[in-house]
Amino acid sequence: MTVVVMSRDAAMRYCSEYHNKPAIMISISDPYITYPTEPYCSNKNGLVAIQPLFFTDADKPGKDVYDREVTESDLITEVDAQLVRQLLDKYPDTDVIVHCDAGISRSSGVAAAILKAKTGDDSQIFNSPKYRPNMRCYRIILDELMQED
């Protein structure tokens, strides 16, 4: 299993290209932004499932990256983490693409947690200068993925 972090633009390009290896996608959107297009599954792009999630880019109530005031209900939740777990459980050993708007914070936090839970090593995210993982995303996803059934 590989885990790749992308921006929304890169994810949309991915959807329009041919890929012969199946992948699943975690598509993180801001609940207050209307996007012109959404990622999609097709035989051509190899995406077998997409889990949409909607939460703001902040790790605590207060200001988000767009300088909007956000509350606890605007942030990633345990329900979001459960949806991620269900997707990973349904498609074990399938490559994972995680995207958000910029591919820097929310998606890298989720990707790092998946890597830590599944491989024990999240260093490809935390050692890269291009990512600034949202630590709330990391903690909530990791907590869910590390729970015993």
Side-chain angles (χ1 to χ4, degrees):
M1 167 204 293
T2 62
V3 179
V4 178
V5 176
M6 294 182 183
S7 67
R8 178 172 296 280
D9 289 343
M12 292 309 303
R13 282 192 304 276
Y14 185 95
C15 288
S16 68
E17 298 167 349
Y18 175 78
H19 303 279
N20 62 358
K21 191 172 182 188
I24 56 177
M25 182 179 282
I26 299 166
S27 175
I28 304 169
S29 299
D30 187 292
Y32 300 108
I33 296 176
T34 302
Y35 301 96
T37 57
E38 294 293 331
Y40 56 90
C41 297
S42 77
N43 291 334
K44 178 182 173 185
N45 66 24
L47 289 174
V48 295
I50 299 173
Q51 177 58 63
L53 301 176
F54 300 90
F55 54 88
T56 58
D57 195 353
D59 59 6
K60 61 183 185 254
K63 298 285 187 177
D64 70 2
V65 297
Y66 298 109
D67 204 34
R68 295 178 302 207
E69 195 66 34
V70 297
T71 66
E72 188 76 23
S73 65
D74 295 313
L75 307 175
I76 188 172
T77 67
E78 291 175 4
V79 172
D80 295 318
Q82 291 164 1
L83 292 170
V84 169
R85 183 180 187 156
Q86 290 168 7
L87 181 70
L88 296 172
D89 287 350
K90 186 173 181 178
Y91 299 97
D93 303 318
T94 304
D95 289 349
V96 180
I97 298 165
V98 187
H99 88 80
C100 61
D101 292 344
I104 295 171
S105 181
R106 291 173 291 176
S107 55
S108 68
V110 171
I114 293 168
L115 286 165
K116 183 69 172 177
K118 299 297 184 182
T119 71
D121 183 11
D122 54 16
S123 63
Q124 82 179 54
I125 302 297
F126 284 106
N127 291 346
S128 173
K130 65 182 176 179
Y131 303 126
R132 290 189 309 269
N134 178 307
M135 292 309 294
R136 180 184 176 103
C137 291
Y138 179 79
R139 285 188 307 273
I140 288 178
I141 297 292
L142 186 59
D143 286 351
E144 177 64 29
L145 295 179
M146 298 303 284
Q147 286 183 19
E148 298 292 326
D149 288 329

